């Protein structure tokens, strides 16, 4: 069974084979190390002139990637830990994103900034954050998250073809998990057909009627959402549909409106610290379109507005667990 890390590595190899103008830059990305999480393994051996290990300077390496893109190439940047994308914020937001439109004509800036993200690995406060919310709402900058239900080959190809900068978040815990397996604790999740482009849709129910609850959860929190959905169905016969998007911004809520309108509860789950998050952005869009049809307020289930501790048992008190999702939905249904 292919794991998420292997799928992403295969996607990078495919992208390099297809595009002789593609470069990859990052710290320790060359063999034999192949990146901190081995995602770039084998690339420098196959494409030694286009896979460049850089000094420890996130702003500089993103700046070089921007220069390559503006010169007609394409670039993928690996930030060793997504937390350090803050050091490249100026190059991502003030240069890459603005360069698409600030010269009086559209300029292609095909740069993907890959950010290993999230906690539950015991890496502590400065290596465990989920910073998606800080890149939401920037014109000409798209935000994405890998998923075990989406093939990364099509995802990377699509992002490079768009010709605009993108930030791709990759939950570190996903790297070791298998692709295309719901992985819940019960037999209640049936895999809906899904592809690399749209959101994956999975269901915990015993019929085709509208689900009691629709959970929207990006890849990093998807398995926790599925576990909560399985428990809700097994213990309370509450049916849930779990929608797993890869594109977080701009987020197209339109295809989801029929399912959301028919649900008793809509729940958004994320690992970002509470306050000004992707989930609240999507909730606002849902309210705008479905204000007269929602039966209850949209439920937000985010991380606590705290730094992430190193100890595993303390991490669990900050990051949303399956039990937290279960409880939030149960309380919303019985409010």
């Amino acid at each position: 069974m292919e794991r998420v890390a292997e799928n992403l590595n295969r996607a990078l190899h495919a992208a390099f084979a297809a595009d002789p103008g593609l470069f990859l830059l990052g710290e320790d990305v060359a063999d034999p190390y192949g990146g901190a999480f081995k995602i770039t393994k084998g690339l420098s051996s196959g494409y030694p002139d286009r896979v460049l290990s850089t000094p420890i300077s996130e702003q500089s390496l993103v700046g070089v990637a921007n220069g390559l893109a503006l010169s007609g190439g394409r670039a993928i940047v690996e930030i060793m830990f997504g937390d350090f994308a803050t050091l490249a914020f100026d190059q991502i937001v003030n240069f890459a994103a603005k360069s698409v439109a600030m010269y009086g004509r559209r300029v292609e800036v095909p740069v993907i900034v890959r950010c290993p993200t999230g906690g539950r690995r015991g890496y502590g406060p400065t290596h465990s954050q989920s910073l998606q919310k800080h890149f939401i709402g920037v014109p000409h900058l798209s935000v994405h998250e890998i998923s075990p239900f989406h093939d990364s080959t099509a995802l990377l190809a699509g992002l490079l073809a768009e010709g605009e900068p993108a930030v791709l978040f990759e939950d570190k815990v996903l790297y070791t998990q298998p692709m295309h397996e719901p992985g819940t604790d019960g037999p209640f999740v049936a895999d809906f057909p899904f592809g690399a482009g749209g959101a994956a849709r999975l269901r915990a129910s015993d019929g085709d009627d509208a689900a009691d609850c629709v959970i929207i959860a990006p890849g990093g929190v998807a398995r926790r959402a599925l576990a909560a959905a399985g428990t809700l169905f097994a213990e309370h016969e509450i049916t849930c549909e779990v929608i797993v998007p890869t594109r977080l911004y701009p987020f197209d809520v339109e295809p989801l409106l029929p399912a959301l309108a028919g649900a008793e509860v809509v729940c958004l789950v994320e690992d970002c610290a509470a306050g000004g998050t992707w989930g609240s952005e999507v909730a606002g869009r849902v309210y705008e379109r479905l204000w007269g049809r929602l039966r209850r307020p949209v439920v937000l289930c985010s991380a606590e507005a705290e730094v992430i501790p190193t100890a595993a048992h303390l991490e669990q008190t900050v990051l949303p667990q399956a039990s937290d999702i279960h409880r939030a939905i149960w309380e919303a249904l019985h409010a």
Side-chain angles (χ1 to χ4, degrees):
M1 177 66 68
E2 185 179 52
R3 297 187 180 277
V4 171
E6 296 164 345
N7 181 266
L8 187 53
N9 177 261
R10 180 169 59 80
L12 288 168
H13 278 273
F16 269 79
D19 187 351
L22 180 62
F23 290 81
L24 186 140
L25 301 90
E27 299 156 12
D28 295 327
V29 294
D31 293 330
Y33 197 56
F37 300 99
K38 311 305 177 187
I39 305 302
T40 60
K41 182 179 179 181
L43 282 173
S44 67
S45 298
Y47 309 94
D49 297 332
R50 295 194 279 136
V51 178
L52 310 175
S53 281
T54 68
I56 303 174
S57 176
E58 284 75 14
Q59 174 129 308
S60 296
L61 68 93
V62 176
V64 171
N66 290 341
L68 286 168
L70 288 173
S71 299
R74 301 175 190 275
I76 297 175
V77 172
E78 177 175 292
I79 305 294
M80 185 177 286
F81 284 84
D83 309 65
F84 305 138
T86 55
L87 299 171
F89 198 77
D90 181 62
Q91 282 294 329
I92 296 171
V93 173
N94 279 333
F95 190 80
K98 288 183 173 60
S99 291
V100 174
M102 70 180 182
Y103 298 117
R105 60 180 178 84
R106 186 179 186 273
V107 175
E108 291 205 347
V109 188
V111 173
I112 301 174
V113 180
R114 295 182 38 244
C115 296
T117 191
R120 298 180 292 147
R121 291 287 293 263
Y123 291 157
T126 61
H127 292 69
S128 304
Q129 298 166 92
S130 295
L131 300 179
Q132 289 89 328
K133 68 180 184 179
H134 297 290
F135 297 93
I136 298 293
V138 178
H140 301 288
L141 179 68
S142 59
V143 181
H144 307 260
E145 188 164 334
I146 64 168
S147 156
F149 311 107
H150 296 82
D151 179 44
S152 291
T153 298
L155 175 61
L156 291 182
L159 296 185
L160 290 169
E162 287 182 2
E164 296 193 356
V167 184
L168 178 60
F169 288 92
E170 306 165 8
D171 193 295
K172 298 186 290 287
V173 171
L174 287 180
Y175 288 149
T176 60
Q177 294 184 357
M179 292 290 296
H180 309 320
E181 290 290 338
T184 62
D185 294 329
F188 312 106
V189 176
D191 193 356
F192 279 11
F194 57 82
R201 303 178 70 162
L202 304 105
R203 176 94 170 225
S205 75
D206 56 357
D208 297 325
D209 295 335
D212 299 317
C213 176
V214 175
I215 307 171
I216 306 176
V221 291
R223 293 193 190 279
R224 280 172 274 170
L226 289 168
T231 302
L232 285 164
F233 183 69
E235 296 184 359
H236 309 293
E237 296 186 353
I238 295 171
T239 60
C240 294
E241 179 177 349
V242 180
I243 297 173
V244 185
T246 54
R247 179 181 288 269
L248 304 187
Y249 186 86
F251 186 80
D252 186 8
V253 74
E254 294 295 322
L256 309 181
L257 293 179
L260 301 181
E264 290 282 341
V265 171
V266 175
C267 178
L268 290 147
V269 185
E270 59 191 336
D271 265 341
C272 288
T277 67
W278 165 80
S280 59
E281 160 74 13
V282 176
R285 299 286 304 282
V286 172
Y287 280 127
E288 180 182 21
R289 296 306 312 278
L290 295 178
W291 178 253
R293 300 171 66 184
L294 290 173
R295 304 182 188 185
R296 291 174 172 81
V298 175
V299 176
L300 298 179
C301 192
S302 307
E304 297 293 328
E306 297 287 349
V307 298
I308 299 174
T310 302
H313 70 286
L314 295 176
E315 270 192 325
Q316 293 180 8
T317 67
V318 174
L319 299 176
Q321 307 300 312
S323 58
D324 298 317
I325 303 168
H326 175 281
R327 182 172 58 255
I329 293 170
W330 176 259
E331 290 177 352
L333 284 168
H334 293 83

